[in-house]
Coordinates of all heavy atoms in Angstrom, one line a residue:
Chain A
L84 N -57.7 60.2 -112.9 CA -57.7 61.3 -111.9 C -57.4 62.6 -112.7 O -57.8 63.7 -112.3 CB -56.6 61.1 -110.9 CG -57.0 60.1 -109.8 CD1 -55.8 59.8 -108.9 CD2 -58.1 60.7 -108.9
L85 N -56.6 62.5 -113.8 CA -56.3 63.7 -114.6 C -56.9 63.4 -116.0 O -57.1 62.3 -116.4 CB -54.8 63.9 -114.8 CG -54.0 64.2 -113.5 CD1 -52.6 64.5 -113.8 CD2 -54.6 65.4 -112.7
E86 N -57.3 64.5 -116.7 CA -57.6 64.3 -118.1 C -56.9 65.4 -118.9 O -56.7 66.5 -118.5 CB -59.2 64.4 -118.3 CG -59.8 65.6 -117.7 CD -61.4 65.5 -117.8 OE1 -61.9 64.4 -117.9 OE2 -62.0 66.5 -117.8
S87 N -56.6 64.9 -120.1 CA -55.8 65.7 -121.0 C -56.8 66.3 -122.0 O -57.6 65.6 -122.7 CB -54.9 64.8 -121.7 OG -53.9 65.5 -122.4
R88 N -56.9 67.7 -122.1 CA -57.7 68.3 -123.1 C -56.8 68.9 -124.2 O -56.1 69.8 -124.0 CB -58.6 69.4 -122.5 CG -59.5 68.9 -121.4 CD -60.4 70.0 -120.9 NE -60.9 69.6 -119.5 CZ -61.2 70.5 -118.5 NH1 -61.1 71.8 -118.7 NH2 -61.6 70.0 -117.4
P89 N -56.9 68.2 -125.4 CA -56.0 68.6 -126.5 C -55.9 70.1 -126.7 O -57.0 70.8 -126.8 CB -56.5 67.9 -127.7 CG -57.2 66.7 -127.2 CD -57.8 67.2 -125.8
G90 N -54.8 70.7 -126.8 CA -54.6 72.1 -127.0 C -54.8 73.0 -125.7 O -54.3 74.1 -125.7
A91 N -55.4 72.4 -124.7 CA -55.6 73.2 -123.5 C -54.7 72.9 -122.3 O -54.4 73.7 -121.5 CB -57.1 73.1 -123.1
G92 N -54.3 71.6 -122.2 CA -53.5 71.2 -121.1 C -54.1 70.0 -120.4 O -55.0 69.4 -120.8
T93 N -53.5 69.8 -119.2 CA -54.0 68.6 -118.4 C -54.7 69.1 -117.1 O -54.2 70.0 -116.4 CB -52.8 67.7 -118.0 OG1 -52.1 67.4 -119.2 CG2 -53.2 66.5 -117.3
F94 N -55.8 68.5 -116.8 CA -56.7 69.0 -115.7 C -57.0 67.9 -114.7 O -57.1 66.7 -115.2 CB -57.9 69.6 -116.3 CG -57.7 70.8 -117.2 CD1 -57.4 70.6 -118.5 CD2 -57.8 72.1 -116.7 CE1 -57.1 71.7 -119.4 CE2 -57.5 73.2 -117.5 CZ -57.2 73.0 -118.9
V95 N -57.3 68.3 -113.5 CA -57.9 67.3 -112.6 C -59.3 67.0 -113.1 O -60.1 67.9 -113.5 CB -58.0 67.8 -111.1 CG1 -58.7 66.8 -110.2 CG2 -56.6 68.2 -110.6
S96 N -59.6 65.7 -113.3 CA -60.8 65.3 -114.0 C -62.0 65.9 -113.4 O -62.3 66.0 -112.2 CB -61.0 63.7 -113.9 OG -59.9 63.1 -114.5
S97 N -62.9 66.4 -114.4 CA -64.1 67.0 -113.9 C -65.1 65.8 -113.6 O -66.1 66.0 -112.9 CB -64.7 67.9 -115.0 OG -64.7 67.1 -116.2
G98 N -64.9 64.7 -114.1 CA -65.7 63.5 -113.8 C -65.7 63.2 -112.3 O -66.6 62.7 -111.7
L99 N -64.6 63.6 -111.6 CA -64.5 63.5 -110.2 C -65.2 64.6 -109.5 O -64.6 65.6 -109.1 CB -63.0 63.6 -109.8 CG -62.0 62.7 -110.4 CD1 -60.6 63.1 -110.1 CD2 -62.3 61.3 -109.8
D100 N -66.5 64.5 -109.4 CA -67.2 65.6 -108.7 C -66.9 65.6 -107.2 O -66.3 64.7 -106.7 CB -68.6 65.6 -109.1 CG -69.3 64.4 -108.6 OD1 -68.8 63.8 -107.6 OD2 -70.4 64.0 -109.1
E101 N -67.4 66.6 -106.6 CA -67.1 66.8 -105.2 C -67.5 65.6 -104.3 O -66.7 65.2 -103.4 CB -67.9 68.1 -104.7 CG -67.4 68.7 -103.4 CD -65.9 68.8 -103.3 OE1 -65.2 69.1 -104.4 OE2 -65.3 68.6 -102.2
T102 N -68.6 65.0 -104.7 CA -69.0 63.8 -103.9 C -68.0 62.7 -104.0 O -67.6 62.1 -103.0 CB -70.3 63.2 -104.5 OG1 -70.9 64.2 -105.3 CG2 -71.2 62.7 -103.5
V103 N -67.5 62.4 -105.2 CA -66.5 61.4 -105.3 C -65.3 61.6 -104.5 O -64.8 60.8 -103.8 CB -66.1 61.2 -106.8 CG1 -64.9 60.2 -106.9 CG2 -67.3 60.7 -107.6
L104 N -64.8 62.9 -104.5 CA -63.6 63.2 -103.8 C -63.9 63.2 -102.3 O -63.1 62.8 -101.5 CB -63.1 64.6 -104.2 CG -62.5 64.6 -105.6 CD1 -62.3 66.0 -106.1 CD2 -61.3 63.7 -105.7
K105 N -65.1 63.6 -101.9 CA -65.4 63.6 -100.5 C -65.4 62.1 -100.0 O -65.0 61.8 -98.9 CB -66.8 64.2 -100.2 CG -66.8 65.1 -99.0 CD -67.9 66.2 -99.1 CE -69.1 65.7 -98.4 NZ -70.3 66.6 -98.7
N106 N -65.9 61.2 -100.9 CA -65.9 59.8 -100.5 C -64.5 59.3 -100.3 O -64.1 58.6 -99.4 CB -66.5 58.9 -101.6 CG -68.0 59.3 -101.7 OD1 -68.6 59.7 -100.7 ND2 -68.6 59.0 -102.8
A107 N -63.6 59.8 -101.2 CA -62.2 59.3 -101.2 C -61.6 59.8 -99.8 O -60.9 59.0 -99.2 CB -61.4 59.9 -102.3
R108 N -62.1 61.0 -99.4 CA -61.6 61.4 -98.1 C -62.2 60.6 -96.9 O -61.5 60.1 -96.1 CB -61.9 62.9 -97.9 CG -60.9 63.8 -98.7 CD -60.9 65.2 -98.2 NE -62.2 65.8 -98.2 CZ -62.7 66.4 -99.3 NH1 -62.1 66.4 -100.4 NH2 -63.9 66.9 -99.3
L109 N -63.5 60.5 -97.0 CA -64.3 59.8 -96.0 C -63.7 58.4 -95.7 O -63.5 58.1 -94.6 CB -65.7 59.5 -96.6 CG -66.9 60.3 -96.0 CD1 -68.1 59.9 -96.7 CD2 -67.0 60.0 -94.5
I110 N -63.3 57.8 -96.8 CA -62.9 56.4 -96.7 C -61.6 56.3 -95.9 O -61.3 55.3 -95.4 CB -62.6 55.9 -98.2 CG1 -63.4 54.7 -98.4 CG2 -61.2 55.7 -98.5 CD1 -64.9 54.8 -98.5
Q111 N -61.0 57.4 -95.7 CA -59.7 57.4 -94.9 C -60.0 57.7 -93.4 O -59.0 57.8 -92.6 CB -58.7 58.3 -95.5 CG -58.1 57.7 -96.8 CD -57.3 58.6 -97.6 OE1 -56.7 59.6 -97.1 NE2 -57.4 58.5 -98.9
E112 N -61.2 57.9 -93.0 CA -61.5 58.2 -91.6 C -61.5 56.9 -90.8 O -61.3 55.8 -91.4 CB -62.8 58.9 -91.4 CG -62.6 60.4 -91.9 CD -64.0 61.1 -92.0 OE1 -64.9 60.6 -91.5 OE2 -64.0 62.2 -92.7
Q113 N -61.7 57.0 -89.5 CA -61.4 55.8 -88.7 C -62.6 55.1 -88.2 O -62.5 54.1 -87.5 CB -60.5 56.2 -87.5 CG -59.0 56.4 -87.9 CD -58.5 55.2 -88.7 OE1 -58.6 54.1 -88.2 NE2 -57.8 55.5 -89.8
D114 N -63.8 55.5 -88.5 CA -65.0 54.9 -87.8 C -65.6 53.8 -88.7 O -66.8 53.5 -88.6 CB -66.0 56.0 -87.5 CG -66.5 56.7 -88.8 OD1 -65.7 56.7 -89.8 OD2 -67.6 57.3 -88.8
A115 N -64.8 53.3 -89.6 CA -65.3 52.3 -90.5 C -65.7 51.0 -89.8 O -65.0 50.5 -88.9 CB -64.2 51.9 -91.5
K116 N -66.8 50.4 -90.3 CA -67.3 49.2 -89.7 C -67.2 48.0 -90.7 O -67.5 48.2 -91.8 CB -68.7 49.3 -89.2 CG -68.9 50.1 -88.0 CD -70.2 49.8 -87.2 CE -70.4 50.7 -86.1 NZ -71.1 51.9 -86.4
T117 N -66.7 46.9 -90.2 CA -66.7 45.7 -91.1 C -67.4 44.6 -90.3 O -67.4 44.7 -89.0 CB -65.3 45.3 -91.4 OG1 -64.5 45.3 -90.2 CG2 -64.6 46.2 -92.4
P118 N -68.0 43.6 -91.0 CA -68.7 42.6 -90.2 C -67.8 41.7 -89.5 O -66.6 41.7 -89.7 CB -69.4 41.8 -91.3 CG -69.1 42.4 -92.6 CD -68.0 43.4 -92.4
A119 N -68.3 40.9 -88.6 CA -67.6 39.9 -87.8 C -67.1 38.8 -88.8 O -67.6 38.7 -89.9 CB -68.4 39.3 -86.8
I120 N -66.1 38.1 -88.4 CA -65.6 36.9 -89.2 C -66.6 35.8 -89.0 O -67.5 35.9 -88.1 CB -64.2 36.4 -88.8 CG1 -64.2 36.1 -87.3 CG2 -63.2 37.5 -89.1 CD1 -62.9 35.5 -86.8
S121 N -66.6 34.7 -89.8 CA -67.6 33.7 -89.7 C -67.4 32.9 -88.4 O -66.4 32.9 -87.8 CB -67.4 32.8 -90.9 OG -66.2 32.0 -90.8
H122 N -68.5 32.2 -88.1 CA -68.5 31.3 -86.9 C -67.4 30.3 -87.0 O -66.7 30.0 -86.1 CB -69.9 30.7 -86.9 CG -70.2 29.9 -85.7 ND1 -70.2 28.5 -85.7 CD2 -70.4 30.3 -84.4 CE1 -70.5 28.1 -84.5 NE2 -70.6 29.2 -83.7
R123 N -67.2 29.7 -88.2 CA -66.2 28.6 -88.3 C -64.8 29.2 -88.2 O -64.0 28.5 -87.6 CB -66.4 27.9 -89.7 CG -65.8 28.5 -90.9 CD -65.9 27.6 -92.1 NE -67.3 27.5 -92.6 CZ -67.9 28.4 -93.4 NH1 -67.3 29.5 -93.8 NH2 -69.1 28.1 -93.8
A124 N -64.6 30.5 -88.6 CA -63.3 31.0 -88.4 C -63.0 31.3 -86.9 O -61.9 31.1 -86.5 CB -63.2 32.3 -89.2
T125 N -64.0 31.7 -86.2 CA -63.9 31.9 -84.8 C -63.5 30.5 -84.1 O -62.6 30.5 -83.3 CB -65.2 32.4 -84.1 OG1 -65.7 33.4 -85.0 CG2 -64.9 32.9 -82.7
E126 N -64.1 29.5 -84.5 CA -63.8 28.1 -84.0 C -62.3 27.8 -84.4 O -61.6 27.3 -83.5 CB -64.7 27.1 -84.7 CG -66.1 27.1 -84.3 CD -66.3 26.4 -82.9 OE1 -65.7 25.3 -82.8 OE2 -67.0 27.0 -82.1
W127 N -61.9 28.1 -85.6 CA -60.6 27.8 -86.0 C -59.5 28.4 -85.1 O -58.5 27.8 -84.7 CB -60.3 28.3 -87.5 CG -60.6 27.2 -88.5 CD1 -60.6 25.9 -88.4 CD2 -61.0 27.5 -89.9 NE1 -60.9 25.3 -89.5 CE2 -61.2 26.2 -90.5 CE3 -61.2 28.6 -90.6 CZ2 -61.6 26.1 -91.8 CZ3 -61.6 28.5 -92.0 CH2 -61.7 27.2 -92.6
L128 N -59.9 29.7 -84.7 CA -58.9 30.4 -83.9 C -58.8 29.7 -82.5 O -57.8 29.9 -81.8 CB -59.3 31.9 -83.7 CG -59.1 32.8 -84.9 CD1 -59.7 34.1 -84.7 CD2 -57.6 32.9 -85.2
N129 N -59.9 29.0 -82.1 CA -59.9 28.4 -80.8 C -59.3 27.0 -80.7 O -59.1 26.5 -79.6 CB -61.4 28.4 -80.3 CG -61.9 29.7 -80.0 OD1 -61.1 30.6 -79.7 ND2 -63.2 29.9 -80.0
V130 N -59.2 26.4 -81.9 CA -58.6 25.0 -81.8 C -57.2 25.0 -81.2 O -56.4 25.8 -81.7 CB -58.6 24.4 -83.2 CG1 -58.0 23.0 -83.2 CG2 -60.0 24.3 -83.8
H131 N -57.0 24.2 -80.3 CA -55.7 24.0 -79.7 C -54.7 23.6 -80.8 O -55.0 22.7 -81.5 CB -55.7 23.0 -78.6 CG -54.4 22.4 -78.3 ND1 -53.5 23.1 -77.4 CD2 -53.8 21.3 -78.7 CE1 -52.4 22.3 -77.4 NE2 -52.5 21.3 -78.1
R132 N -53.6 24.2 -80.8 CA -52.6 23.8 -81.8 C -51.3 23.9 -81.2 O -50.9 25.0 -80.8 CB -52.8 24.7 -83.1 CG -52.1 24.1 -84.3 CD -52.6 24.6 -85.6 NE -51.8 24.1 -86.7 CZ -52.1 22.9 -87.3 NH1 -53.1 22.2 -86.9 NH2 -51.3 22.5 -88.2
S133 N -50.6 22.8 -81.2 CA -49.2 22.9 -80.6 C -48.4 23.9 -81.4 O -48.6 23.9 -82.6 CB -48.5 21.6 -80.6 OG -49.5 20.5 -80.6
K134 N -47.5 24.6 -80.8 CA -46.7 25.5 -81.6 C -45.8 24.7 -82.5 O -45.2 23.7 -82.2 CB -45.8 26.2 -80.6 CG -45.5 27.6 -81.0 CD -44.8 28.5 -80.0 CE -43.9 29.5 -80.6 NZ -44.4 30.0 -81.9
K135 N -45.8 25.2 -83.8 CA -45.0 24.5 -84.8 C -43.6 24.7 -84.5 O -43.1 25.8 -84.0 CB -45.3 25.2 -86.2 CG -46.7 25.0 -86.7 CD -46.7 23.8 -87.6 CE -48.1 23.6 -88.1 NZ -48.2 22.4 -88.9
V136 N -42.8 23.7 -84.7 CA -41.4 23.8 -84.5 C -40.6 24.0 -85.8 O -39.6 24.7 -85.8 CB -40.8 22.6 -83.7 CG1 -41.2 22.7 -82.3 CG2 -41.3 21.3 -84.3
G137 N -41.1 23.4 -86.8 CA -40.5 23.7 -88.2 C -39.0 23.6 -88.2 O -38.4 22.5 -87.8
L138 N -38.4 24.6 -88.7 CA -37.0 24.6 -89.0 C -36.1 24.3 -87.8 O -35.0 23.8 -87.9 CB -36.5 25.9 -89.5 CG -37.1 26.2 -90.9 CD1 -36.7 27.7 -91.3 CD2 -36.5 25.3 -91.9
N139 N -36.6 24.6 -86.6 CA -35.7 24.5 -85.4 C -36.0 23.2 -84.6 O -35.7 23.0 -83.5 CB -36.0 25.6 -84.4 CG -35.7 26.9 -85.2 OD1 -34.7 27.1 -85.8 ND2 -36.6 27.9 -85.0
A140 N -36.7 22.2 -85.3 CA -37.1 21.0 -84.7 C -35.9 20.4 -83.9 O -34.8 20.1 -84.5 CB -37.6 20.0 -85.7
K141 N -36.1 20.1 -82.6 CA -35.1 19.5 -81.8 C -35.7 18.3 -81.2 O -37.0 18.2 -81.0 CB -34.6 20.4 -80.7 CG -33.6 21.4 -81.2 CD -32.9 22.1 -79.9 CE -32.8 23.6 -80.1 NZ -32.4 24.2 -78.9
A142 N -34.9 17.3 -80.6 CA -35.5 16.2 -80.0 C -36.4 16.7 -78.8 O -36.0 17.6 -78.1 CB -34.4 15.3 -79.4
F143 N -37.5 16.2 -78.6 CA -38.2 15.1 -79.3 C -39.4 15.6 -80.1 O -40.5 15.1 -80.0 CB -38.8 14.2 -78.2 CG -37.7 13.6 -77.3 CD1 -37.4 14.3 -76.1 CD2 -36.9 12.5 -77.6 CE1 -36.4 13.8 -75.2 CE2 -36.0 12.0 -76.8 CZ -35.7 12.7 -75.6
A144 N -39.2 16.7 -80.8 CA -40.4 17.3 -81.6 C -40.9 16.2 -82.6 O -40.1 15.6 -83.3 CB -39.9 18.5 -82.4
P145 N -42.2 15.8 -82.4 CA -42.7 14.7 -83.2 C -42.9 15.1 -84.7 O -42.9 16.3 -85.0 CB -44.0 14.4 -82.6 CG -44.2 15.3 -81.5 CD -43.2 16.4 -81.6
G146 N -43.1 14.2 -85.6 CA -43.4 14.4 -87.0 C -42.3 14.8 -87.8 O -42.4 15.0 -89.0
K147 N -41.1 14.8 -87.3 CA -39.9 15.1 -88.1 C -39.2 13.8 -88.5 O -38.8 13.0 -87.7 CB -38.9 15.9 -87.3 CG -37.6 16.3 -88.1 CD -36.6 17.0 -87.3 CE -35.3 17.2 -88.1 NZ -34.2 17.6 -87.3
P148 N -39.2 13.6 -89.8 CA -38.5 12.4 -90.3 C -37.0 12.6 -90.3 O -36.6 13.8 -89.9 CB -39.0 12.3 -91.8 CG -40.0 13.4 -92.0 CD -39.8 14.4 -90.9
A149 N -36.2 11.6 -90.6 CA -34.7 11.8 -90.6 C -34.3 12.5 -91.9 O -33.9 11.9 -92.8 CB -34.1 10.4 -90.5
L150 N -34.5 13.8 -91.9 CA -34.3 14.5 -93.1 C -32.8 14.5 -93.6 O -32.6 14.6 -94.8 CB -34.7 16.0 -93.0 CG -36.2 16.2 -92.7 CD1 -36.5 17.6 -92.4 CD2 -37.0 15.7 -93.9
D151 N -31.9 14.3 -92.6 CA -30.5 14.2 -93.1 C -30.2 12.9 -93.9 O -29.2 12.8 -94.5 CB -29.6 14.3 -91.8 CG -29.9 13.3 -90.8 OD1 -31.1 12.9 -90.7 OD2 -29.0 12.9 -90.0
R152 N -31.2 12.0 -93.8 CA -31.0 10.8 -94.6 C -31.8 10.8 -95.9 O -31.8 9.9 -96.7 CB -31.4 9.6 -93.8 CG -30.8 9.4 -92.5 CD -29.3 9.2 -92.6 NE -28.7 9.1 -91.3 CZ -28.5 8.0 -90.6 NH1 -28.8 6.8 -91.2 NH2 -27.9 8.0 -89.4
F153 N -32.5 11.9 -96.2 CA -33.3 12.0 -97.4 C -32.4 12.3 -98.6 O -31.5 13.3 -98.4 CB -34.4 13.0 -97.3 CG -35.3 13.0 -98.5 CD1 -36.2 12.0 -98.7 CD2 -35.1 14.0 -99.5 CE1 -37.0 12.0 -99.9 CE2 -35.9 14.0 -100.6 CZ -36.9 13.0 -100.8
P154 N -32.5 11.7 -99.7 CA -31.6 11.9 -100.8 C -32.0 13.2 -101.6 O -32.5 13.2 -102.7 CB -31.8 10.7 -101.7 CG -33.2 10.2 -101.4 CD -33.4 10.6 -100.0
F155 N -31.6 14.3 -100.9 CA -32.0 15.6 -101.6 C -31.3 15.8 -102.9 O -31.9 16.5 -103.8 CB -31.7 16.8 -100.6 CG -32.6 16.9 -99.5 CD1 -32.3 16.6 -98.2 CD2 -33.9 17.4 -99.8 CE1 -33.2 16.7 -97.2 CE2 -34.9 17.5 -98.7 CZ -34.5 17.1 -97.5
D156 N -30.1 15.3 -103.1 CA -29.4 15.5 -104.3 C -30.2 14.8 -105.5 O -30.4 15.3 -106.5 CB -28.0 14.9 -104.2 CG -28.0 13.5 -103.6 OD1 -28.9 13.1 -102.9 OD2 -27.0 12.8 -103.8
I157 N -30.7 13.6 -105.1 CA -31.5 12.8 -106.1 C -32.8 13.6 -106.4 O -33.2 13.8 -107.6 CB -31.9 11.4 -105.6 CG1 -30.6 10.6 -105.6 CG2 -32.9 10.8 -106.5 CD1 -30.8 9.2 -104.9
W158 N -33.4 14.1 -105.4 CA -34.7 14.8 -105.5 C -34.5 16.1 -106.4 O -35.3 16.3 -107.3 CB -35.2 15.2 -104.1 CG -36.6 15.8 -104.2 CD1 -36.9 17.1 -103.9 CD2 -37.8 15.1 -104.4 NE1 -38.2 17.3 -104.1 CE2 -38.8 16.1 -104.4 CE3 -38.2 13.8 -104.7 CZ2 -40.2 15.8 -104.6 CZ3 -39.5 13.5 -104.9 CH2 -40.5 14.5 -104.9
A159 N -33.4 16.8 -106.1 CA -33.1 18.0 -106.9 C -32.9 17.6 -108.4 O -33.4 18.3 -109.3 CB -31.9 18.7 -106.3
R160 N -32.2 16.5 -108.6 CA -32.0 16.1 -109.9 C -33.3 15.7 -110.7 O -33.5 16.1 -111.8 CB -31.0 14.9 -109.9 CG -30.6 14.4 -111.3 CD -29.4 13.5 -111.2 NE -29.5 12.3 -110.3 CZ -30.3 11.2 -110.6 NH1 -30.9 11.2 -111.8 NH2 -30.4 10.2 -109.8
L161 N -34.1 15.0 -110.0 CA -35.4 14.6 -110.6 C -36.3 15.8 -110.9 O -36.8 15.9 -112.0 CB -36.2 13.7 -109.6 CG -35.6 12.3 -109.3 CD1 -36.4 11.5 -108.4 CD2 -35.3 11.5 -110.6
L162 N -36.3 16.8 -110.0 CA -37.1 18.0 -110.2 C -36.6 18.7 -111.4 O -37.3 19.2 -112.3 CB -37.0 18.9 -109.0 CG -38.0 18.8 -107.9 CD1 -37.7 19.9 -106.8 CD2 -39.4 19.1 -108.4
S163 N -35.3 18.9 -111.4 CA -34.7 19.7 -112.4 C -34.8 19.1 -113.8 O -35.0 19.7 -114.8 CB -33.2 20.0 -112.0 OG -32.4 20.3 -113.0

Side-chain angles (χ1 to χ4, degrees):
Chain A
L84 284 169
L85 299 183
E86 55 187 19
S87 192
R88 298 182 204 152
T93 305
F94 298 83
V95 176
S96 297
S97 50
L99 302 168
D100 62 22
E101 198 44 36
T102 339
V103 170
L104 290 171
K105 225 156 90 195
N106 294 335
R108 285 200 298 279
L109 249 178
I110 236 68
Q111 285 165 32
E112 287 169 16
Q113 283 308 312
D114 59 340
K116 286 203 186 87
T117 47
I120 57 173
S121 70
H122 188 252
R123 79 175 74 80
T125 315
E126 291 279 315
W127 270 333
L128 285 174
N129 289 335
V130 174
H131 158 84
R132 196 157 177 88
S133 337
K134 213 167 149 35
K135 294 267 181 184
V136 284
L138 291 174
N139 303 314
K141 279 196 225 171
F143 305 93
K147 183 185 171 189
L150 294 175
D151 54 332
R152 306 295 178 95
F153 184 77
F155 283 107
D156 49 339
I157 291 173
W158 187 253
R160 183 164 58 74
L161 295 179
L162 267 179
S163 157

